[in-house]
Structures are given as structure tokens and as C-alpha cells.
Amino acid sequence: MCAFMKQAMIFAAGLGTRLKPLTDTMPKALVRVGGQPLLWHVIHKLKHAGYERIVINVHHFAGQIVDYLKANDNFGLDIRISDESDMLLETGGGIKKALPLFDPTEPILIHNVDILSNLDLTALPTDAPLLVVSQRQTKRYLLFDDTMRLQGWTNIETGEVKGTRAERELAFSGIHMFHPSLAPLLADWPERFPIMDFYLKACGSHLIRGYEAKDLRLLDVGKLDTLDKAEDFIK
């Protein structure tokens, strides 16, 4: 693979339980918004930003996603499947399993399949691990110092804190840049784990930065009541 090839991973293995009954017969990735599946929107956003290799993890109705990609000739991209049919590996385990499908020397943009946004993917720095965050109301926040180095996480509803408290509280977008400098650390982690737990442990010894996206418009298409909002968002 050429050094300049941009690579990304789309998390599409989730059960989509909050989108039932639609996901009783299809994966969340193929739920339609604006006449096209969620997966279509994310793939085209990545393609427009110059990403050529995309790995998609699959579990729930995995065959439907594989067939959809095949029917569309992989949208002219190098698209590879990381099959989690036997066991759903969560976000961290998903990345760990998919790593052999990537160039190990290049960063990997990670994007949830159910996230729609106006984020300019071409503006993201790639020289270190990066979490895209913004100022918006939520129950859970990532904590950063004044240099935007990750320090911890908090749930303001329960008061729980992981890591250390810091000056800035920002909401995670579900979009992040996994850097090859972190890959060796994955060996000590189990087959199945959340990637945020990994980042919160790694930030004690490795630089993990936050990228605050100004004027970010973002919609998590996770529930049935967000589908109408998603239609308006796409328009």
C-alpha cells in the first residue's frame, strides 16, 4: 500500500436494538435516511475526503452488508470486511481484530456508521491519536487539560470519573483517529473491550489529543425518533 493512501474503519457491527423493529430484519448500517442506507452516507463522506481503503466490521445480519457492498462494486474503493459474526467484539476489540487488514504504518480514521455530521474529515491532524469532540450537552464528557491532552472521562449524572479531572469537558463525537503508535499496547488487552477504556488507560503514558470541532453539527441516528431528524439533517 502506498504511504499516502488514507484508511478508515466503519463500526457497523452493532445490534441496533434502539432502532427496533427496523433492525429485526436488517443491520443498522442499512437503515435508510434520505433514500440511502446509513452506510452509504458514511462511505461517501469518507470517499469525498480521499479515503481509499475502508474496513467495515460486521456482526448483525452480516451477509446483508456484504451483499450490499458487492452489489455496489465496493463504491470503487478498497473495502474489506472484518467479520465478527461469531462474537461481537465491542469497539476496542473490533479495532484490534481489524488491524491486520490495514497498513500498520498509517493512522486509521474510525467512524461510527450511525453518525451524520458536517465535520470536514480532511482537516483532521494525523500525527497523533485524536478524538473529535465538541461543546454540546450530554451526560458523559471527556476531560482535557488546557493543551487538549486527554486526561479522563466523567458521567455528570452519576458523578463517576475515570482518569483525572481536568479543565475542559467536551463531548465525544464517535469519530477518532487511531494512531499506529498505540497498536503495540493492544496486545495486553482481551479480545473484547471498549476502545474508550483503552484510550483512558493509554493517555497516562501516551499523548492522546482532543480535536475540538467548531460549529459541529452532529446527529447520532440511534433511535427511531431520530430518523425524521436525520431526514432533515441530510437535506
Side-chain angles (χ1 to χ4, degrees):
M1 172 176 151
C2 297
F4 55 82
M5 181 179 282
K6 297 167 77 173
Q7 51 187 10
M9 181 173 184
I10 301 174
F11 284 149
L15 298 175
T17 52
R18 294 180 300 163
L19 282 172
K20 283 178 170 289
L22 294 177
T23 48
D24 287 337
T25 55
M26 71 173 73
K28 175 169 58 176
L30 296 186
V31 171
R32 289 181 174 263
V33 171
Q36 296 288 354
L38 287 168
L39 183 60
W40 182 94
H41 291 287
V42 178
I43 288 175
H44 278 265
K45 186 175 183 68
L46 291 168
K47 185 174 183 177
H48 181 72
Y51 285 84
E52 299 173 72
R53 175 174 293 179
I54 300 174
V55 173
I56 302 172
N57 69 341
V58 295
H59 173 82
H60 186 55
F61 292 112
Q64 290 188 30
I65 294 177
V66 172
D67 291 344
Y68 173 74
L69 294 168
K70 189 179 298 182
N72 287 277
D73 296 319
N74 284 344
F75 298 94
L77 300 170
D78 175 7
I79 294 184
R80 303 172 177 200
I81 295 295
S82 182
D83 191 350
E84 298 180 20
S85 296
D86 292 340
M87 182 172 67
L88 194 57
L89 300 177
E90 297 192 56
T91 50
I95 293 174
K96 183 176 180 179
K97 178 180 173 66
L99 280 185
L101 300 173
F102 290 105
D103 180 338
T105 67
E106 296 294 328
I108 305 164
L109 177 69
I110 312 292
H111 200 300
N112 289 352
V113 77
D114 55 2
I115 294 295
L116 302 174
S117 80
N118 65 343
L119 180 68
D120 179 6
L121 298 180
T122 64
L124 300 180
T126 60
D127 58 336
L130 194 76
L131 308 175
V132 177
V133 293
S134 66
Q135 294 187 20
R136 60 184 172 87
Q137 287 192 331
T138 182
K139 296 176 183 177
R140 294 172 292 275
Y141 289 96
L142 294 176
L143 306 174
F144 300 89
D145 66 15
D146 56 5
T147 68
M148 287 300 287
R149 179 170 184 158
L150 180 65
Q151 300 292 313
W153 169 97
T154 186
N155 183 323
I156 61 171
E157 200 170 65
T158 65
E160 182 185 5
V161 176
K162 296 179 181 178
T164 59
R165 289 203 173 274
E167 296 185 13
R168 307 200 64 192
E169 296 181 351
L170 294 162
F172 182 47
S173 67
I175 302 168
H176 47 117
M177 192 74 70
F178 184 86
H179 196 266
S181 62
L182 296 180
L185 303 183
L186 289 173
D188 296 330
W189 285 74
E191 191 175 11
R192 186 174 186 265
F193 63 95
I195 192 60
M196 195 52 68
D197 286 356
F198 170 82
Y199 284 143
L200 291 170
K201 184 175 181 180
C203 72
S205 57
H206 288 67
L207 171 64
I208 299 176
R209 291 202 312 247
Y211 175 87
E212 185 180 355
K214 304 290 186 181
D215 302 316
L216 179 67
R217 294 180 59 242
L218 181 142
L219 184 65
D220 178 352
V221 191
K223 300 179 182 178
L224 286 174
D225 62 5
T226 59
L227 288 177
D228 288 339
K229 295 178 184 177
E231 294 285 343
D232 293 336
F233 191 97
I234 291 298
K235 290 175 186 176

